[in-house]
Amino acid sequence: MKKVGLALGGGTALGLAHIGVIEILEKNKIPIDYISGTSSGAIIGALYASGMNISDIKKIAETTKWENLVDFKIPIKGILSGDRLEKFIRVLLKNKTFEELDIPLAVIATDIYNGEKVTFRKGDVASAIRASISIPSIFVPFRYQNRVLVDGGVVDPVPVEILKKMGADITIAVDLSKPIKNISIKSTSGKSKRFMKKIEKKMIEQELDEINKYASNHKASIPWFLQSILNHPQKIFDYLLKKRLKTPKLLTITSNSFEIMVNALSKYALLNADYVINPTLNKFNRFDFDKSKEIINSGKKATTRSIKDIKKLIK
């Protein structure tokens, strides 16, 4: 029987569509012999390759409070450290290595200094995913051995080629790119996305927490009037929430720029696929984690439309 490889592209929240894709493939008894993934595609691919039931993966996607996994830093190398998300993934994977997975997996990252594609197929899976999700300027780059790594989407947004090297006879790719006109996240919109509002609050909470830690460690050097202000954290929080820009501009600009780049690169990567599944994601953006059910359903619908063609291809 022909060996099937599944390539899962990146797309932050849009990557949840992969769950719907896998659900329908599994329902129709389409074998998945190899998986490759970039960024969010690496996360979903790793969970499934680890042996986790697709219904459990769906439940995690729909119930996780994703805003609790962000951890802001002073933006020198990135505004998110990525440590909380890595720990979360590590727990879900039970610290598995690539060698312990039920399905062979490849995770893609990029060496930021020489532009080389870095393919992980051995060792710790959670570390590989941490490297693969590191969108430049948003996540702090991941240091691995003598390399500094960022999101695999910089060089290979839908990793199809590696599947052939792994042994796949047929390659199915999931393309999460959208028309350019549907890409932008509008930071000037009067109604901010619910998730972005939660992110904004988390940012302020973490800033206040850092201020309070500093204050508790330097009580003797802080003037009395400043200490009296710090004794009313809710007032400070309300003030910052009112005065702060509704969406962090760096997050918006970087995300839009990165998605436009990935959109262009995906066209070339998909030329090597035997079949491409295209979920309709025009009405969603990369940070619509509160719309996980709808995004997963988009993956299900697209795969259901494609299932007859996929079965013919495999036969």
Side-chain angles (χ1 to χ4, degrees), residues 212-224:
N212 287 328
K213 284 180 182 177
Y214 179 86
S216 63
N217 292 329
H218 300 82
K219 287 183 178 179
S221 61
I222 296 176
W224 66 269

Side-chain angles (χ1 to χ4, degrees), residues 8 33 65 71 73 172 193 238 287 311:
L8 305 178
D33 300 293
K65 294 184 178 180
D71 38 12
K73 292 179 66 68
I172 300 171
K193 297 291 184 183
D238 293 340
F287 299 102
K311 286 182 176 179

Side-chain angles (χ1 to χ4, degrees), residues 164-179:
K164 293 287 187 181
K165 295 178 181 178
M166 293 169 74
D169 302 305
I170 301 294
T171 55
I172 300 171
V174 184
D175 178 23
L176 303 180
S177 61
K178 302 183 296 180

Side-chain angles (χ1 to χ4, degrees), residues 195-209:
F195 180 73
M196 297 305 287
K197 287 182 179 179
K198 292 175 183 177
I199 289 291
E200 181 186 350
K201 289 181 179 179
K202 284 292 176 183
M203 179 186 289
I204 296 171
E205 287 172 359
Q206 290 178 29
E207 286 174 348
L208 286 176
D209 186 50

Side-chain angles (χ1 to χ4, degrees), residues 13 73 105 116 140 163 186 202 204 232 248 287 290 305:
K73 292 179 66 68
L105 172 72
E116 289 181 358
V140 173
L163 291 172
K186 297 179 181 178
K202 284 292 176 183
I204 296 171
H232 299 84
F287 299 102
D290 59 328
R305 291 194 300 268

Side-chain angles (χ1 to χ4, degrees), residues 287-307:
F287 299 102
D288 277 340
F289 286 98
D290 59 328
K291 297 179 181 177
S292 58
K293 290 183 180 180
E294 295 97 316
I295 294 173
I296 291 171
N297 198 42
S298 293
K300 290 176 66 174
K301 287 180 179 178
T303 311
T304 299
R305 291 194 300 268
S306 304
I307 206 69

Side-chain angles (χ1 to χ4, degrees), residues 61-123:
E62 294 176 351
T63 60
T64 297
K65 294 184 178 180
W66 296 97
E67 67 275 10
N68 291 335
L69 297 178
V70 300
D71 38 12
F72 288 96
K73 292 179 66 68
I74 296 173
I76 298 174
K77 297 179 180 179
I79 61 175
L80 302 179
S81 75
D83 293 340
R84 290 185 184 178
L85 184 54
E86 182 185 348
K87 288 178 182 177
F88 178 67
I89 293 168
R90 189 174 295 283
V91 169
L92 293 178
L93 291 174
K94 300 178 181 177
N95 278 319
K96 286 189 176 182
T97 63
F98 282 86
E99 293 82 356
E100 295 173 314
L101 298 176
D102 292 352
I103 301 172
L105 172 72
V107 171
I108 309 300
T110 306
D111 188 314
I112 194 61
Y113 286 122
N114 60 23
E116 289 181 358
K117 178 166 64 176
V118 178
T119 303
F120 289 91
R121 291 185 61 190
K122 296 179 180 179

